Amino acid sequence: MRLIDFNLSTADLDRQLPLYWEHEHDRFPIQNLTLTNQQLVLTQTKNGKPMTLDQFSARTRQLSGPTGLFVSTTAGLVPLFGYRLSDQQLLFG
């Protein structure tokens, strides 16, 4: 998924939605963002407070639209292909 696609599709959502990465029915809070080689890497943790959609937007406002979204895992970088809304949470997958 590209940053521009994500931003366009979430423009009308509640800006206070917390962000999580969902993997094998577990939810991991997204707590940090890093830009490397035109890849926006979302860092997830087992515990902690997730960033909100508003915080994500503020931190990515200056980035180029075609930037790809990835999540950092113990196995390496995993590309993100979409998200869904569940229980007032935005879940990347």
Side-chain angles (χ1 to χ4, degrees), residues 60-78:
T60 60
R61 191 167 289 128
Q62 302 288 330
L63 297 181
S64 170
T67 302
L69 299 180
F70 295 80
V71 67
S72 178
T73 69
T74 55
L77 294 183
V78 175

Side-chain angles (χ1 to χ4, degrees), residues 24-75:
E24 297 180 358
H25 306 292
D26 288 325
R27 295 176 182 182
F28 303 93
I30 300 296
Q31 292 189 316
N32 197 19
L33 306 172
T34 308
L35 181 66
T36 48
N37 301 325
Q38 287 301 309
Q39 296 177 335
L40 182 61
V41 179
L42 287 64
T43 305
Q44 47 83 25
T45 60
K46 287 240 183 225
N47 299 310
K49 185 176 179 183
M51 75 171 50
T52 64
L53 183 56
D54 191 48
Q55 291 168 326
F56 179 93
S57 297
R59 294 179 188 180
T60 60
R61 191 167 289 128
Q62 302 288 330
L63 297 181
S64 170
T67 302
L69 299 180
F70 295 80
V71 67
S72 178
T73 69
T74 55

